[in-house]
Amino acid sequence: MSNFAVGIDIGGTTTKFGIVDREGKILEQNRIPTNAHETVQGFISDLHEKLSPMIERVGGPSNFAGIGVGAPNGNYYTGNIEHSANLKWKGIVPLASMLQEKFNMKVKLTNDANAAAAGEQQYGCAKGMKDFITITLGTGVGSGIFIDGKIVLGHDGFAGELGHTIIRPGGRLHKGTGIQGTLESYASATGVRETALEMLEQFPNVDSALRLIPADELTSEKVYDCAVQGDKIALEIFQFTGQLLGEALANFVMFSSPEAIVLFGGLTKAGDLILNPTQEAMEANLCQVFKNKVKLVFSNLKEADAAILGASALIWED
Amino acid sequence: MSNFAVGIDIGGTTTKFGIVDREGKILEQNRIPTNAHETVQGFISDLHEKLSPMIERVGGPSNFAGIGVGAPNGNYYTGNIEHSANLKWKGIVPLASMLQEKFNMKVKLTNDANAAAAGEQQYGCAKGMKDFITITLGTGVGSGIFIDGKIVLGHDGFAGELGHTIIRPGGRLHKGTGIQGTLESYASATGVRETALEMLEQFPNVDSALRLIPADELTSEKVYDCAVQGDKIALEIFQFTGQLLGEALANFVMFSSPEAIVLFGGLTKAGDLILNPTQEAMEANLCQVFKNKVKLVFSNLKEADAAILGASALIWED
């Protein structure tokens, strides 16, 4: 009987991993540096050294369903990390098969946004749902989509890049992709900062505590701090961000008609300041058959645990 | 052994039906009026009278896998037609179970756009594909989405309303939905007509044969006729329409990463005039991982047969 899964979340700087039970309790966790390892072999050795004793302490590999991995540019179909811009290991890295060999366990790998969605379905507020979408509002905008109980991967494994969908044609330029007016350019921490800089310039006569913050120190957190104090421009920034996000969500709903949309990540700390305008704009842009049906909620997973949980959830699928 | 399927396409005015083999050959077809029947019972009696002899001529019900039905507001999960604005029979009509009882065959029902997609997968240019999207550019814009070999239905059966997604926020008002800037308001026959009227006003000094056509006779076909003659405004209308359609398709690709997008319906008669700008705008708005991968093609099914074929294809699924 498999009582446990390993969850591994590979980020550019740090890799976090933990032992997770079927209810989403993390029994033990640890971390190692990622890019400090020049080679993927060195990375795997370090990981094995730290993780093996953790596995042994709860009964050894026979007590495990397997290892789930969330990694930038992770491809579920191949188990490879493919041309990640955030990792030092270039080209195509067959990480799943390398881990499988080292740990002698089943390994499943996908990108971090898909893993986050799997976590919501297994342990979070999309528990048991077959159709839902997870949107991560962090430095960028990530997304994981479930349709009919399965992660949407597309014919090549790269589906679910909703942060790159266009919501303001001809709008703000995304420096990474060179595409204008995408969701990520507005509804991310970076986007909120940009909006703040633009609005301060656009409304020079409106008083705002944001003007006291040096431009290079202006962050979405500071916009939030000002907004809760009733700062007009800060409030308007969240109103605008929610408006765009809501329009984008309406488009997603009309694609896959999900039961719920789960929002996750730094921007959700703004609470109702972001949720209310988002909900309002989403509903206003849905055609009749979809109105007042979709649950729009914040993730209830602890942000510190969510990445490990999500990765581990890949193993309980099917 | 089931060699045949019945395909029934219910439109507001006319219902078409036919006997289809596994290769997509229509052996025999006929039609009856739809809304001329005051009651759904009367409609089914008429249908039974015409269709039964056709079924008998190819060996009777035992030679059939079943009946597939495409109908406005058809819900695959329930087999009901739900609150269709285009049909006289109001409320919820349990058409699938009524037909099942009358014909003693398995019946599957969905909306016409989903049926069109099923037809492409069974007999058309998406044959054997697991991930693709069909967009119907007719009076309106319809869509059917396949992901991982199955029609995307969503949690309530109403997924795949891509014509209602927003591509120009704050743009043209859709009189049916009250929503601004949706794809259907631009990339439909109705939309092309609107664009023509707008552009003729916008560029009063540009010569155009379109000016000789009375406003109430201006159709997308006439815009096409002028465009092939090299008319500048007519060409610009298709350029603009393709630009918007291409942007919308880019968004769809970043959602589900399909292998192909199949375009169908009246506007596709414009050929390269619409295909080229659409392809160009789609590629320009895709992020790197999706570029030069998605096949953008016109349907190869005969428009007159496609609706019956699509409906019949529902039966060969699974």
Side-chain angles (χ1 to χ4, degrees):
Chain A
M1 176 59 188
S2 313
N3 294 308
F4 303 110
V6 174
I8 302 177
D9 174 62
I10 301 181
T13 313
T14 304
T15 293
K16 298 190 267 181
F17 47 93
I19 311 290
V20 185
D21 72 11
R22 282 181 185 267
E23 277 66 52
K25 194 176 148 209
I26 300 180
L27 282 83
E28 193 178 351
Q29 59 176 302
N30 203 346
R31 53 178 64 202
I32 58 170
T34 310
N35 276 337
H37 292 282
E38 288 296 327
T39 67
V40 66
Q41 287 79 8
F43 168 79
I44 289 179
S45 289
D46 190 9
L47 180 67
H48 188 257
E49 196 180 301
K50 306 283 194 311
L51 183 52
S52 283
M54 289 163 63
I55 292 170
E56 290 305 327
R57 277 195 283 279
V58 291
S62 65
N63 219 353
F64 277 75
I67 299 173
V69 186
N73 293 46
N75 188 318
Y76 186 89
Y77 291 137
T78 60
N80 299 336
I81 295 178
E82 307 191 2
H83 308 286
S84 170
N86 299 320
L87 299 181
K88 210 172 228 170
W89 324 318
K90 293 302 166 204
I92 293 178
V93 181
L95 195 78
S97 59
M98 293 173 86
L99 290 174
Q100 194 146 348
E101 199 168 303
K102 192 79 175 180
F103 287 89
N104 205 17
M105 280 193 218
K106 183 173 83 169
V107 177
K108 287 197 176 182
L109 175 148
T110 189
N111 68 45
D112 32 3
N114 286 342
E120 295 298 340
Q121 201 214 26
Q122 187 66 33
Y123 318 113
C125 50
K127 201 164 183 166
M129 285 188 194
K130 297 181 82 175
D131 298 272
F132 68 95
I133 298 175
T134 301
I135 307 280
T136 304
L137 306 167
T139 314
V141 174
S143 63
I145 307 162
F146 267 75
I147 289 182
D148 204 23
K150 291 170 72 179
I151 298 175
V152 174
L153 297 161
H155 87 290
D156 56 357
F158 293 112
E161 290 290 349
L162 299 182
H164 296 303
T165 59
I166 300 144
I167 188 64
R168 281 290 177 277
R172 208 174 271 174
L173 182 71
H174 189 292
K175 290 185 190 78
T177 63
I179 298 167
Q180 286 185 279
T182 61
L183 181 60
E184 178 161 284
S185 297
Y186 297 92
S188 59
T190 327
V192 165
R193 181 185 135 79
E194 282 278 307
T195 301
L197 294 169
E198 279 178 21
M199 281 200 182
L200 289 171
E201 202 162 315
Q202 196 185 342
F203 304 109
N205 301 321
V206 179
D207 258 357
S208 172
L210 292 170
R211 296 193 195 281
L212 308 173
I213 302 166
D216 59 346
E217 291 173 20
L218 191 58
T219 61
S220 60
E221 287 85 0
K222 290 192 176 147
V223 176
Y224 170 71
D225 292 341
C226 291
V228 291
Q229 302 294 325
D231 187 277
K232 265 192 191 153
I233 289 204
L235 287 167
E236 185 57 29
I237 291 165
F238 281 112
Q239 185 69 32
F240 172 81
T241 307
Q243 169 76 32
L244 267 80
L245 177 58
E247 287 174 16
L249 297 186
N251 280 357
F252 307 155
V253 170
M254 295 192 278
F255 194 111
S256 68
S257 197
E259 185 176 347
I261 295 177
V262 183
L263 303 177
F264 180 76
L267 278 197
T268 62
K269 293 196 187 106
D272 283 350
L273 287 177
I274 185 86
L275 190 65
N276 291 346
T278 302
Q279 175 106 44
E280 208 170 297
M282 179 179 84
E283 290 293 342
N285 286 286
L286 287 173
C287 55
Q288 197 56 43
V289 70
F290 301 110
K291 274 190 202 292
N292 305 311
K293 270 187 180 176
V294 188
K295 299 178 192 106
L296 180 63
V297 293
F298 289 146
S299 169
N300 58 1
L301 299 180
K302 260 174 62 189
E303 191 157 357
D305 294 346
I308 290 174
L309 289 177
S312 77
L314 297 170
I315 284 298
W316 306 126
E317 276 227 305
D318 66 43
Chain B
M1 175 58 186
S2 312
N3 295 307
F4 303 110
V6 174
I8 303 177
D9 174 63
I10 301 180
T13 313
T14 304
T15 293
K16 298 191 268 182
F17 47 93
I19 310 288
V20 184
D21 71 12
R22 281 181 185 267
E23 276 67 51
K25 195 176 147 206
I26 300 180
L27 281 84
E28 192 178 351
Q29 59 174 299
N30 204 345
R31 54 178 64 202
I32 59 170
T34 309
N35 276 336
H37 291 283
E38 289 297 326
T39 66
V40 65
Q41 287 79 8
F43 168 79
I44 289 179
S45 289
D46 190 8
L47 180 67
H48 189 258
E49 195 180 301
K50 306 284 194 308
L51 181 53
S52 283
M54 290 164 62
I55 291 170
E56 290 304 327
R57 278 195 284 278
V58 292
S62 65
N63 218 353
F64 278 74
I67 299 173
V69 186
N73 294 44
N75 188 317
Y76 187 89
Y77 292 137
T78 60
N80 299 336
I81 296 177
E82 306 189 2
H83 308 286
S84 170
N86 299 320
L87 300 180
K88 209 171 230 169
W89 323 318
K90 292 304 165 203
I92 293 177
V93 181
L95 195 78
S97 59
M98 292 174 86
L99 290 174
Q100 195 145 347
E101 199 168 305
K102 192 80 175 182
F103 287 90
N104 205 16
M105 279 193 221
K106 182 173 82 170
V107 177
K108 287 196 179 185
L109 174 148
T110 189
N111 69 44
D112 32 3
N114 286 343
E120 295 297 339
Q121 200 213 27
Q122 186 67 31
Y123 317 114
C125 49
K127 202 163 181 168
M129 285 187 195
K130 296 180 82 176
D131 297 273
F132 68 96
I133 298 175
T134 302
I135 307 280
T136 303
L137 306 166
T139 315
V141 173
S143 63
I145 307 161
F146 268 74
I147 288 181
D148 204 23
K150 291 170 72 179
I151 299 174
V152 174
L153 297 162
H155 87 288
D156 56 356
F158 293 112
E161 290 290 348
L162 300 182
H164 295 303
T165 58
I166 301 144
I167 187 64
R168 281 290 177 276
R172 209 174 269 173
L173 182 72
H174 189 292
K175 290 186 191 75
T177 63
I179 299 168
Q180 284 185 281
T182 61
L183 180 59
E184 179 161 284
S185 297
Y186 297 92
S188 60
T190 327
V192 166
R193 180 186 136 78
E194 283 278 307
T195 302
L197 294 169
E198 279 178 20
M199 282 201 181
L200 289 171
E201 203 163 311
Q202 194 184 345
F203 305 108
N205 301 321
V206 179
D207 257 359
S208 172
L210 292 170
R211 297 193 194 282
L212 308 173
I213 303 166
D216 59 346
E217 291 173 20
L218 192 58
T219 61
S220 60
E221 287 84 0
K222 288 188 177 148
V223 176
Y224 171 70
D225 292 341
C226 292
V228 291
Q229 302 294 324
D231 187 276
K232 265 191 193 156
I233 289 204
L235 287 168
E236 185 56 30
I237 291 165
F238 281 112
Q239 186 69 31
F240 172 82
T241 307
Q243 169 75 33
L244 267 79
L245 177 57
E247 287 173 17
L249 297 187
N251 279 357
F252 307 156
V253 169
M254 294 189 281
F255 193 110
S256 69
S257 196
E259 184 176 348
I261 294 177
V262 184
L263 303 178
F264 180 78
L267 278 197
T268 63
K269 295 198 184 101
D272 284 348
L273 287 177
I274 184 86
L275 191 65
N276 290 346
T278 302
Q279 175 107 45
E280 209 169 298
M282 180 180 82
E283 291 293 343
N285 287 286
L286 286 173
C287 53
Q288 198 56 43
V289 71
F290 301 110
K291 276 192 201 292
N292 304 311
K293 269 187 179 176
V294 188
K295 299 180 192 104
L296 180 64
V297 293
F298 289 148
S299 169
N300 58 2
L301 299 180
K302 261 174 61 185
E303 191 158 355
D305 294 347
I308 289 174
L309 289 177
S312 77
L314 297 172
I315 284 298
W316 306 125
E317 274 225 309
D318 64 43

